[in-house]
Amino acid sequence: EDQVTQSPEALRLQEGESSSLNCSYTVSGLRGLFWYRQDPGKGPEFLFTLYSAGEEKEKERLKATLTKKESFLHITAPKPEDSATYLCAVQAVLDQSSGDKLTFGTGTRLAVRP
Amino acid sequence: DTAVSQTPKYLVTQMGNDKSIKCEQNLGHDTMYWYKQDSKKFLKIMFSYNNKELIINETVPNRFSPKSPDKAHLNLHINSLELGDSAVYFCASGYGTPHSPLHFGNGTRLTVT
């Protein structure tokens, strides 16, 4: 069964203090790894898709990287508005009955203090 | 111009009741999903529909029945509600192709008392 583990569960940073969030995964075959941001009372908002080991994607202060076993979400000089829960999900190469479902981790709650 | 909209946002009901949650998307996507997020924020897929056809049906009690009248709508009907059904239910849509991201609604918080 596909598994996604995110760490840490919670992270508190000072504004401008860079850090990384980890997503470890176990899948039969990775079709794609997705990062989402979720604000309180909202649905997850898509950030990135990574397809193969070595790939990197950037958006403003966020940079996502992928290896064969894990993905990192690097946050450079975060601001208070970056506070949210960051979710990682994998899409596996499965049989037709499994479709294109995403298996999510439990997320990292990030709080950035001014 | 809301992309994926769910109603209601909050639903409080008693055990044993039957309730429905509605979802609509205006993104032109072919595939729609229902996910359940428990108190620990774990998101787990329940169902997916592609152009009104059921594709994924995870291990969900048969008290939960999705209905898709057309590819822009996917409703969730729950019979005989139980305390353990309390959670946030998210509707999502996508193109149903490899790598295509899902777009989520803002969720329906269901509380069963």
Side-chain angles (χ1 to χ4, degrees):
Chain A
E1 187 173 320
D2 304 334
Q3 285 193 332
V4 179
T5 303
Q6 292 188 246
S7 62
E9 285 189 17
L11 181 62
R12 297 186 69 171
L13 299 174
Q14 199 68 34
E15 184 172 1
E17 179 187 1
S18 301
S19 188
S20 295
L21 282 53
N22 177 264
C23 170
S24 299
Y25 62 90
T26 305
V27 294
S28 53
L30 183 69
R31 178 179 278 173
L33 185 139
F34 298 76
W35 281 99
Y36 284 83
R37 168 188 172 133
Q38 186 174 21
D39 292 299
K42 303 284 188 181
E45 177 186 344
F46 171 71
L47 293 173
F48 305 107
T49 309
L50 301 166
Y51 308 122
S52 57
E55 188 175 5
E56 298 182 351
K57 292 212 174 153
E58 287 188 66
K59 180 179 180 179
E60 296 181 358
R61 296 175 292 281
L62 300 176
K63 178 180 175 181
T65 62
L66 181 65
T67 72
K68 288 188 178 180
K69 293 183 179 181
E70 57 192 351
S71 177
F72 292 93
L73 185 64
H74 307 277
I75 304 177
T76 302
K79 298 182 177 182
E81 53 261 43
D82 294 322
S83 298
T85 295
Y86 291 86
L87 298 168
C88 171
V90 296
Q91 187 183 69
V93 177
L94 296 171
D95 58 39
Q96 192 172 2
S97 64
S98 299
D100 57 347
K101 73 174 185 177
L102 293 182
T103 299
F104 281 86
T106 50
T108 294
R109 293 190 312 278
L110 174 66
V112 181
R113 294 168 292 184
Chain B
D1 59 344
T2 304
V4 181
S5 59
Q6 303 177 221
T7 55
K9 186 168 177 62
Y10 300 97
L11 187 53
V12 181
T13 189
Q14 291 184 330
M15 285 176 56
N17 285 347
D18 302 337
K19 291 293 178 185
S20 292
I21 306 172
K22 295 185 176 181
C23 178
E24 176 181 3
Q25 56 96 3
N26 62 4
L27 296 167
H29 291 153
D30 292 322
T31 307
M32 295 185 71
Y33 310 78
W34 279 109
Y35 278 79
K36 178 180 180 180
Q37 189 170 47
D38 60 24
S39 57
K40 295 184 178 180
K41 305 298 184 184
F42 182 57
L43 259 175
K44 187 172 172 62
I45 191 168
M46 300 173 69
F47 303 102
S48 81
Y49 267 76
N50 181 279
N51 202 14
K52 301 193 296 177
E53 180 184 350
L54 180 65
I55 301 298
I56 295 174
N57 184 351
E58 292 291 288
T59 308
V60 177
N62 57 16
R63 298 181 294 103
F64 290 78
S65 55
K67 293 282 193 307
S68 182
D70 56 62
K71 73 173 192 176
H73 296 83
L74 180 63
N75 304 322
L76 183 65
H77 189 75
I78 315 170
N79 289 326
S80 303
L81 278 156
E82 300 178 357
L83 292 176
D85 297 331
S86 296
V88 182
Y89 293 84
F90 286 98
C91 177
S93 71
Y95 287 111
T97 54
H99 309 152
S100 62
L102 301 188
H103 296 260
F104 286 83
N106 283 328
T108 295
R109 180 174 293 278
L110 171 66
T111 303
V112 182
T113 61

